[in-house]
Amino acid sequence: MPTESESEEECPYLSYTVWRKTYMTKDTFALLISVTIVNLVAIFPTILLNASVILAVATRQRLKTTSNKLLACLAGTDLLTGLVVQPIAIAVDIKRILGVEPFCVLEKLRPVALSTAALASSSHLFLISIDRYIAIKHPLRYQEIVTGRRVKRGVLLAWAIAVFYITQDFVSAFIVSDPKLYSAYYNIIYVTLILILLTCIAVIIYSNCYMLFETRRQRKRLRTEQL
């Protein structure tokens, strides 16, 4: 089996071991086939349904609310997954199934595309959770706090973070020639990405738990008033 130095020589900007024909086993082959079939089946509904959501919000005036616009933006990130991430994943898996030798750019492209889509989706879920939290916490001031301009700024910031991640990752991959230096740089970016995702998840969980408890409290209050 090739040594680590040989792997670095073939793909110096990959932070993990390059795929090789020797890694293929019966279990791995079955797994790759299963994942490829799932992606092939799911890609068309993913594109169609999310495109329908975006089209509905964009063309129907009564659906152009702040919450629906955020949902349409979230559908845009999922549409990007169907148009970009899943085709790349299918291409990589088929390449491995057929035993094609490592293609460094494609091997690097999949984790970057997946991380970018996950970051964009998490950011938009973060915005939606904040929107619903404010709507329940401050219903009388909701229109004052959640304005169209602030929503646009939040969406632009979410996409800016995702674009920054994918840009710096590819630029550093081709500029930083030292594998050790790139590995250290990649670890810093990876930790930063994890922290951002954990922050989004924490806010999403807190907001949804608050909405759940507040809904139950309001329901109990209404029952008490009816009695």
Side-chain angles (χ1 to χ4, degrees), residues 39-199:
N39 278 323
L40 286 172
V41 172
I43 187 172
F44 296 106
T46 300
I47 295 174
L48 180 62
L49 295 176
N50 286 289
S52 299
V53 172
I54 297 173
L55 184 62
V57 175
T59 56
R60 299 186 180 183
Q61 188 64 34
R62 62 187 181 86
L63 294 180
K64 292 183 180 181
T65 63
T66 302
S67 300
N68 288 339
K69 288 179 181 178
L70 288 175
L71 289 175
C73 292
L74 177 61
T77 63
D78 295 336
L79 179 62
L80 182 65
T81 300
L83 291 174
V84 178
V85 179
Q86 287 181 297
I88 293 175
I90 292 171
V92 172
D93 290 336
I94 291 178
K95 180 202 72 172
R96 293 178 175 180
I97 291 171
L98 297 178
V100 180
E101 290 298 327
F103 182 38
C104 295
V105 174
L106 194 60
E107 290 282 348
K108 180 62 181 176
L109 189 59
R110 180 167 71 167
V112 172
L114 182 61
S115 300
T116 304
L119 183 59
S121 297
S122 300
S123 301
H124 284 82
L125 287 172
F126 171 86
L127 295 175
I128 292 174
S129 298
I130 293 296
D131 173 73
R132 292 297 85 204
Y133 175 82
I134 295 174
I136 294 179
K137 182 72 172 179
H138 305 287
L140 299 180
R141 297 182 56 203
Y142 174 77
Q143 297 293 338
E144 177 185 352
I145 298 174
V146 182
T147 61
R149 179 175 297 180
R150 290 176 178 174
V151 169
K152 290 180 181 178
R153 289 177 180 176
V155 172
L156 289 176
L157 179 61
W159 280 110
I161 294 174
V163 170
F164 170 77
Y165 171 76
I166 189 173
T167 302
Q168 62 80 31
D169 202 348
F170 271 108
V171 170
S172 62
F174 290 100
I175 291 180
V176 180
S177 58
D178 187 359
K180 294 182 178 180
L181 180 61
Y182 175 75
S183 178
Y185 178 80
Y186 181 84
N187 289 334
I188 295 174
I189 297 300
Y190 182 77
V191 171
T192 304
L193 176 64
I194 293 298
L195 291 176
I196 293 175
L197 290 176
L198 289 177
T199 301

Side-chain angles (χ1 to χ4, degrees), residues 4-46:
E4 182 180 355
S5 61
E6 291 174 349
S7 297
E8 290 179 350
E9 185 177 356
E10 289 185 6
C11 295
Y13 53 85
L14 280 176
S15 60
Y16 51 86
T17 306
V18 181
W19 174 266
R20 298 183 182 280
K21 293 180 181 180
T22 55
Y23 298 162
M24 181 65 73
T25 62
K26 291 183 179 180
D27 294 337
T28 306
F29 180 80
L31 179 62
L32 290 175
I33 291 292
S34 301
V35 173
T36 302
I37 292 174
V38 170
N39 278 323
L40 286 172
V41 172
I43 187 172
F44 296 106
T46 300

